[in-house]
Amino acid sequence: MMEKIISLCKRRGFVYPNSEIYGGFSGFWNYGHYGSILKENIKNLWKQRFVFDREDMFLTDTSIVSSPMVLESSGHISNFGNEIFKIQIGTGEETTTSHLRAETAQGIFTDFKNVVDTHHPKLPFGVAQIGKAFRNEISPRDFIFRSREFEQMEVEYFVREKDWEKYFEMWRGSMLKFLAEVGIKEVKEEELSPEDRAHYSKRTIDFLFDYPFGNRGEVCGLAYRTDFDLKNHKLDYLDEESGERMVPHVIEPSFGVDRSFLAVLCSAYTEDELGGEPRTYLKLPKNIVPVRAAVFPLLKNKPELVNKAREVYAMLKKNPPVGGPNIEFDDNGNIGKRYRRQDEIGTPHCITIDFDTLEDDTVTVRDRDTGEQERVKIGELIAKLKS
Ligand code: ATP
C-alpha cells in the first residue's frame, strides 16, 4: 500500500525524491505541483481554524536561524545534541556557530515580549507559526514521515498556571476536530509516560495514525510545556489591570505538516471498480483538494466544443466554488484517461462539454466518488459544485 501511494505521489506530481537525478538525498523531499497545492490548502485551513476563527491568536513568521544563545537557553543543545544541524555564520575569521531550529516554537518564545508590547493581549492568548524545522535524524525513513527537513504548524498558548488543564482539553478538542476536517481517519491518542516526554513537558498526548508502513506514527502532539521556556529565557508577563507580574504557562498543539499531508493521502487513497475496470482515486475532502473541478471538451479537434469548454472554464475560474480556486482545463487523451488522471488527483467534479451542450446549454458533471454523471445547466453549474 505504501509503495502504491509513493508511486502515485511521483506519477501525479505530489512528491518527488530530492536530488533524484543525482541518485536522491536521504531525508529530503520535494513537493510537486499538486503536492504543493494540497500542502498549502492544509496549512491555510489550519491557519483559518487555529488563528482567524479565534479572537485570542496572533500569527508570526520567525527565522530558522537564531542567536546560539536561544537553543542553549531552551535546553535543546544539552538535550538533543547531535540531532541539531550545526551551521557556520559569516566568513573568514569572524564566524559564529549556530543551528537550524529543530522546532518552530523558540522564535515564538523569544518574541514573547514583542507580541505583548505590540498587542497588549490579556491571558490566555496564543501565537501561531508555520515553518520549517530540521533534525539530523539518524535514520530518515518511511517516505516523508521521518525526514531531516520538514514543516511544522505550532501554537504556543499562554495561560495562568491554574488554568492549564482546562486549556489543554480545549486544544485537544480543536486538534481532533481539525484532523477529522482534513479527513485523517481513526486517530488514536496516547498519553506519554514521564520517561517518554520531552525535557520541557509535564504532560504530552501524541495523536497517532496507522501509516501503512507497518506501525503507528505521531501526526501531531499536544504538550503542557509549563513555564519552562519563558523562565529559561527570563521572560515574564505583567497583568496591566491587577499589576500582577508572573510567568505564564504554555500549552502547545504541534502538527507536522508533512505527516499530516501523508495521513491525509493515506486516508483518502481508495481502490474500487468502476464500469468493470479497477481504478484508484483520492477521496479527499473538498476543502483541501488540489483541483476543485476539471473542464473537458469531448473532442479536442472540434473548435466549437473547445471554445465552449474554454468559456465554462473561464466562468469557473472567475467564480471558484468553495474549497479552492484551482480549476483545470484538459483536452489530452480520451475522456476515460482524463477521468483516471483527475481521480488520482482527487478532483471532486469533472465537467464535459459535448455536442448536446451546443444545443441545450447543459454539461455532464461526473462525481469522483460514485462515477455517476448528470446533466446540469451551465447557469446552475456553480450552485451544483457548491452543494
Ligand atoms: P517522533 O517521536 O516521531 O520522532 P517527536 O515526538 O520527536 O516525533 P515532536 O518533537 O513532538 O515530534 O514534533 C512535533 C511534530 O513535528 C510531530 O508531531 C511530527 O508531526 C513532526 N515531526 C517531528 N519530527 C519529524 C521528522 N523527522 N519528519 C517529519 N515530521 C516530524
Side-chain angles (χ1 to χ4, degrees):
M1 166 87 159
M2 201 58 217
E3 288 308 313
K4 286 180 178 175
I5 290 174
I6 295 172
S7 146
L8 183 145
C9 279
K10 175 146 191 242
R11 186 168 70 246
R12 296 301 180 199
F14 282 88
V15 181
Y16 304 122
N18 179 275
S19 310
E20 196 183 10
I21 57 168
Y22 294 105
F25 198 50
S26 178
F28 299 91
W29 295 90
N30 296 347
Y31 286 77
H33 178 64
Y34 296 120
S36 303
I37 303 174
L38 177 60
K39 188 153 91 133
E40 217 44 43
N41 289 350
I42 293 171
K43 289 195 282 184
N44 284 338
L45 188 63
W46 182 89
K47 248 185 267 173
Q48 187 64 44
R49 297 291 175 255
F50 285 71
V51 182
F52 304 129
D53 285 353
R54 305 176 55 101
E55 291 181 18
D56 53 357
M57 292 296 303
F58 303 96
L59 192 62
T60 190
D61 182 4
T62 67
S63 75
I64 287 165
V65 178
S66 55
S67 153
M69 308 272 293
V70 173
L71 296 191
E72 289 286 347
S73 305
S74 68
H76 279 82
I77 301 297
S78 48
N79 285 281
F80 293 118
N82 296 338
E83 242 194 70
I84 302 190
F85 281 99
K86 246 190 201 165
I87 52 162
Q88 280 311 106
I89 318 270
T91 52
E93 280 172 21
E94 291 291 302
T95 60
T96 308
T97 302
S98 189
H99 302 86
L100 299 182
R101 67 184 177 197
E103 55 168 13
T104 63
Q106 292 308 319
I108 298 180
F109 295 128
T110 54
D111 267 356
F112 178 78
K113 188 174 176 320
N114 285 329
V115 171
V116 170
D117 288 349
T118 307
H119 304 284
H120 301 278
K122 287 208 179 83
L123 289 175
F125 69 90
V127 180
Q129 164 153 247
I130 298 179
K132 292 264 186 178
F134 299 80
R135 293 184 193 176
N136 206 351
E137 297 277 0
I138 295 161
S139 56
R141 61 185 176 279
D142 300 327
F143 193 34
I144 54 174
F145 178 82
R146 187 172 301 286
S147 46
R148 290 180 167 139
E149 174 178 342
F150 55 95
E151 228 173 334
Q152 294 184 316
M153 308 186 280
E154 294 196 303
V155 165
E156 307 305 325
Y157 196 70
F158 302 98
V159 304
R160 288 190 159 77
E161 181 177 7
K162 68 175 175 52
D163 295 330
W164 79 265
E165 277 156 314
K166 177 168 118 191
Y167 292 113
F168 191 92
E169 280 311 308
M170 178 194 81
W171 283 108
R172 183 179 175 188
S174 306
M175 292 174 83
L176 287 169
K177 235 173 143 178
F178 180 76
L179 290 165
E181 194 175 358
V182 289
I184 298 177
K185 286 182 193 150
E186 294 172 34
V187 172
K188 313 264 181 336
E189 292 177 61
E190 184 182 63
E191 182 84 42
L192 295 199
S193 61
E195 312 77 74
D196 289 333
R197 293 196 295 249
H199 63 283
Y200 48 72
S201 174
K202 258 202 180 157
R203 186 180 177 196
T204 299
I205 294 178
D206 282 353
F207 296 77
L208 308 176
F209 177 75
D210 280 317
Y211 290 95
F213 36 71
N215 51 14
R216 269 187 200 158
E218 175 186 337
V219 193
C220 52
L222 177 62
Y224 167 42
R225 290 181 81 123
T226 67
D227 55 0
F228 180 87
D229 299 273
L230 291 183
K231 241 187 185 158
N232 281 352
H233 293 305
K234 301 190 171 41
L235 292 161
D236 63 7
Y237 173 87
L238 172 70
D239 184 323
E240 289 177 4
E241 269 168 29
S242 67
E244 178 196 5
R245 214 167 243 296
M246 78 188 89
V247 181
H249 282 232
V250 171
I251 309 294
E252 178 193 66
S254 171
F255 284 78
V257 175
D258 315 78
R259 289 189 187 178
S260 301
F261 177 99
L262 184 57
V264 164
L265 278 188
C266 294
S267 301
Y269 184 91
T270 314
E271 291 177 347
D272 69 355
E273 216 174 75
L274 198 64
E277 295 273 317
R279 74 152 176 164
T280 301
Y281 72 104
L282 293 184
K283 204 172 175 172
L284 292 169
K286 280 192 193 120
N287 54 356
I288 54 168
V289 283
V291 177
R292 186 57 189 80
V295 181
F296 313 148
L298 180 65
L299 300 168
K300 115 193 237 178
N301 56 359
K302 297 280 176 216
E304 61 277 36
L305 293 183
V306 174
N307 290 343
K308 190 74 189 168
R310 287 237 162 244
E311 240 176 63
V312 172
Y313 170 67
M315 175 189 86
L316 291 178
K317 277 259 196 220
K318 246 195 217 154
N319 303 281
V322 176
N326 198 27
I327 312 288
E328 261 192 13
F329 182 87
D330 189 3
D331 60 3
N332 274 318
N334 62 36
I335 287 279
K337 274 207 180 122
R338 296 179 210 161
Y339 283 154
R340 203 155 319 142
R341 197 173 85 80
Q342 295 297 340
D343 280 346
E344 288 199 350
I345 297 166
T347 307
H349 293 109
C350 291
I351 296 146
T352 304
I353 281 70
D354 57 20
F355 290 105
D356 288 345
T357 312
L358 306 176
E359 303 293 316
D360 62 6
D361 238 25
T362 65
V363 293
T364 301
V365 177
R366 173 186 177 273
D367 181 273
R368 173 195 69 197
D369 300 345
T370 61
E372 276 166 20
Q373 304 186 11
E374 61 176 300
R375 294 300 293 189
V376 175
K377 282 226 165 274
I378 291 176
E380 289 160 15
L381 195 52
I382 290 169
K384 165 76 193 165
L385 297 192
K386 278 185 182 166
S387 67

